[in-house]
Amino acid sequence: MAHSGINVLFEGRNLIRLFGGLWTTVEIAGVALILGLLLGIVLGVLRTFPNRLLRLVLRLYLEFFRITPTVVLLFLFYYILPRQLGVNLPANQMAMLAFALWTSAEMSDIVRGALISVPKHQRESGMAIGLNRWQLYRYVLIPQAVSLELPATVNLVTRVIKTTSVLMLISVMDVINVGQQVVEANNQKFPTGVFWVYGMIFVMYFAIDYPLSWWAKRLDKKRLERANG
Amino acid sequence: MKKFGVKKFALFFGITASLALVLSGCGSNKSNHSTASSTNGSSTVQQIKKRGTIRIAVFGDLPPYGWVNKQGQRVGYDLTLARRIAKDLKVKPKFVQVNANNRVDALNANKVDLVLANFTVTPERKQVVAFASPYMKVSVGVVSPKAKPVTKVTQLQGKNLIVTKGTTAENYFTAKQSKVNLLKFDSKTQQFNALKNNRGAALADDNSYLYAWVKDQPKYTVGIKSIGPKQYIAPAVKKGNKSLLNWTNQEVKSLNGEGFFEKDYNSQLKPYFGKEVKPQDIIIK
């Protein structure tokens, strides 16, 4: 091996293509997260309401998305649903939709958990001063729940970003898919290129996910400091 | 009033969600029926011309058939054919990258009009998609390290054989050689990495492709050159899409007449296969 495999990254437009793939990843994860987190908050609030039917339905929704592996979910959305319902969205939008619904299900449980762990006397005090349900959530429960749910939410965000790596199943040209193209096209010339391409992808994911993890950790620390003086 | 509004919304949402659950549950039961009978959604030649684009499923990680060069362009034997087909239809090609095991679904879910992804004709696949006239022939081969060559199938009994899911190699060994343990992977990239990491005694795939691979891998050899029946590689369209099927048959015939496939072989495959393989081993006259 006369030359090191790292050169595979600098051949032609390889690096630019990898960044293009990363952009697709970020775009899909970004849209899915914005939609998913917003919907998840609404669903999470609804799940703390006393209505039993409502809670059951939302619970089923959560369990469906939590139990189904993401790969199966994507397959269902991309190949099976269009055949049954005649909905035919491009792969990228399908991916955003599937990921948004999945995120919202997971988020609803985080929000629900945070809302019910706000101390009971807070809720009762709110009701005692005559707040209606909207005001109770707006001024008492949600502000206190936010700090409780933030670390878990950031955790979810990093998990969603990482899971976009299964998108190649439905022909989305994400960073992993582009990486495989580069590896296969250069396998003969740079047999050790695999290591460098996946190494580069590792660095890319790390650069996105690590700041989020760090932020989550900091928030958690702050919260503990505030809670325990 | 406010409370009522929230409830109504929730109820609506709940119904939608449960409907989605029920529908997704039905999916698997209904799919056989609908793929066999319905042709709605698949595009006729006229519709493709009107749309101005033909959507073609191709591989992105299978040199020399369908791959992406360092400039980011899709190239290969299948890609040359795909561009020619688009040119003759007077439309633009739109490529959708697939893996071996989602070629059938891409067609049936109407994600693509045509599959040109080294798609081998098998009786099982004929049930679910419609194949046009073949443009290539291959059979399954087995590649193994030169240090421990596998030259007979009996040597594989009780050992791990690496294959890619959804390939003819997988089908052949599953159906005819049940004593061989199969180690299945999702992509070509993964299967060759597995062989290099000694996860199996050998790897089975289309022989022409293996010739190409060993040409630059001096430590490996195609110990079994051909196993099982000879097989054909053909363009595929959605079942019931007679219009595009007939057009493609006609196209393959006329391209054969003008020697297109030999030219395609010489420009795309020859540099990969070396001298061991002759054009007449691969293309159909």
Side-chain angles (χ1 to χ4, degrees), chain B residues 30-44:
Chain B
K30 274 205 229 151
S31 60
N32 277 336
H33 172 72
S34 68
T35 47
S37 63
S38 82
T39 59
N40 55 350
S42 68
S43 311
T44 63

Side-chain angles (χ1 to χ4, degrees), chain B residues 100-101 103-104 118-126 128 131 140 161-180 182-185 191 204-206 227-229 231:
Chain B
N101 60 358
R103 288 175 292 193
V104 171
N118 210 23
F119 208 10
T120 313
V121 182
T122 65
E124 295 81 12
R125 286 176 185 162
K126 271 186 183 166
V128 288
F131 284 104
V140 173
L161 177 71
I162 298 162
V163 292
T164 295
K165 285 177 203 164
T167 58
T168 38
E170 186 206 353
N171 289 344
Y172 172 74
F173 278 94
T174 311
K176 300 279 157 62
Q177 306 285 348
S178 52
K179 282 181 187 152
V180 179
L182 294 185
L183 210 57
K184 301 176 183 180
F185 291 90
Q191 72 166 4
D205 207 332
D206 289 348
I227 187 169
Q231 297 191 299

Side-chain angles (χ1 to χ4, degrees), chain B residues 40-68:
Chain B
N40 55 350
S42 68
S43 311
T44 63
V45 172
Q46 258 185 343
Q47 284 165 324
I48 290 169
K49 281 186 170 162
K50 205 175 153 203
R51 201 195 311 141
T53 53
I54 179 165
R55 299 165 304 164
I56 304 175
V58 294
F59 278 140
D61 64 348
L62 185 64
Y65 300 107
W67 56 291
V68 183

Side-chain angles (χ1 to χ4, degrees), chain A residues 11 13-14 17 49 51 54 57 64 75 78-79 83 88-89 133 169 171 173 177 180-181 184-185 188, chain B residues 3 6-7 10 14 21 35 60-61 63 67-72 97 102 105 109-111 187 189 216:
Chain A
E11 283 276 302
R13 292 170 40 81
N14 285 354
R17 283 167 54 211
F49 282 15
N51 186 326
L54 174 66
V57 168
F64 173 73
F75 204 82
Y78 189 67
Y79 291 118
R83 224 184 286 174
N88 213 339
L89 289 175
R133 180 143 71 177
L169 176 82
S171 307
M173 301 309 300
N177 213 346
Q180 284 216 348
Q181 286 179 347
E184 278 308 318
Q188 327 234 318
Chain B
K3 190 176 154 196
V6 168
K7 255 192 181 165
L21 274 174
T35 47
D61 64 348
W67 56 291
V68 183
N69 69 12
K70 64 184 178 186
Q71 303 307 328
Q97 186 174 321
N102 55 19
D105 296 295
N110 196 29
K111 300 294 179 190
S187 73
T189 315
D216 293 278

